[in-house]
Amino acid sequence: MNENIEGLLEGFLSRTERKDAISVAECEIFLNEIPKFTVKHGIEDTRKFLAYLGNPDENMKIIHVAGTNGKGSVC
């Protein structure tokens, strides 16, 4: 994850844990910092990110719809 975004994300997460408000302007800054184009990440990066989030996927029923086009209209 981009170090800038990681720092902003950690700040946001700690503020939400403390129930501090996050302004629309701050959210806009965060979203504008996300790179538009990046490298493809492997499964290990996905696992690390889910672990960072506390593995929320372990308590969910998930159906993965793979393919290229038409997923939105099919689902």
Side-chain angles (χ1 to χ4, degrees):
M1 192 182 302
N2 181 308
E3 289 180 21
N4 260 356
I5 295 171
E6 192 171 319
L8 288 170
L9 182 59
E10 286 177 15
F12 277 16
L13 292 174
S14 66
R15 288 173 64 184
T16 55
E17 288 171 2
R18 293 190 315 260
K19 308 275 193 255
D20 290 346
I22 299 171
S23 73
V24 172
E26 290 171 303
C27 290
E28 203 171 317
I29 290 167
F30 174 76
L31 292 173
N32 287 327
E33 287 287 321
I34 297 173
K36 305 271 187 282
F37 303 99
T38 185
V39 297
K40 295 242 179 195
H41 298 282
I43 190 69
E44 195 55 40
D45 291 323
T46 302
R47 287 187 177 123
K48 286 179 186 177
F49 184 65
L50 288 169
Y52 179 78
L53 295 175
N55 295 310
D57 58 309
E58 292 178 357
N59 298 319
M60 298 178 179
K61 294 180 181 180
I62 299 171
I63 298 174
H64 179 121
V65 180
T68 52
N69 295 317
K71 290 185 290 287
S73 58
V74 170
C75 292

